[in-house]
Amino acid sequence: MIFGCSATDPSVLETLRPNELVEFIETLHNFPTGPIQVIYDIVYGHADNQGIELLNGRFLKGPNMYGQDVNHQNPTVRGILLEMQRRKNNTGVDGIRVDGAQGLQILQSVVGAGGV
């Protein structure tokens, strides 16, 4: 893994600037031996237990086997997740795999209804 929401591998992306990730993806797309596609593997369903100290408790529903379930019912959480998705789409990525996407059903119903 090269880039995550909370951490970046400094040996690959030295300055931690968001546009550095965009430049890295552009470099991979223009690789001398042929384009290399980039796919994000994103988890929107739960947060690591370390998130308990970083996130407002209203953003979490409670413990699960991976850490804490994200509270997709909270409008602020839905807004944050949609903004995160928009930003990831704008990096030039070739695809996105969403793990724990059951909460996105709530997001889709709200977006489809003109919410968030």
Side-chain angles (χ1 to χ4, degrees), residues 4-102:
C5 290
S6 61
T8 305
D9 181 344
S11 67
V12 178
L13 301 175
E14 203 168 277
T15 67
L16 308 182
R17 296 175 295 128
N19 60 329
E20 190 173 11
L21 179 63
V22 172
E23 293 166 6
F24 181 67
I25 291 171
E26 288 174 2
T27 300
L28 292 174
H29 286 161
N30 296 301
F31 213 67
T33 57
I36 296 175
Q37 293 187 329
V38 178
I39 300 174
Y40 291 130
D41 187 4
I42 300 172
V43 179
Y44 287 144
H46 58 271
D48 186 282
N49 280 328
Q50 294 171 346
I52 295 171
E53 296 177 17
L54 301 173
L55 298 172
N56 184 312
R58 297 175 307 171
F59 296 168
L60 303 170
K61 284 195 292 190
N64 69 23
M65 62 192 243
Y66 301 109
Q68 296 287 316
D69 280 329
V70 173
N71 183 3
H72 296 98
Q73 302 290 336
N74 183 308
T76 302
V77 171
R78 291 193 303 259
I80 290 168
L81 294 177
L82 288 170
E83 178 61 18
M84 286 172 51
Q85 185 67 34
R86 184 191 68 77
R87 289 180 183 197
K88 294 207 183 316
N89 286 340
N90 289 340
T91 62
V93 70
D94 299 292
I96 296 176
R97 177 195 173 271
V98 179
D99 182 18
Q102 62 276 10

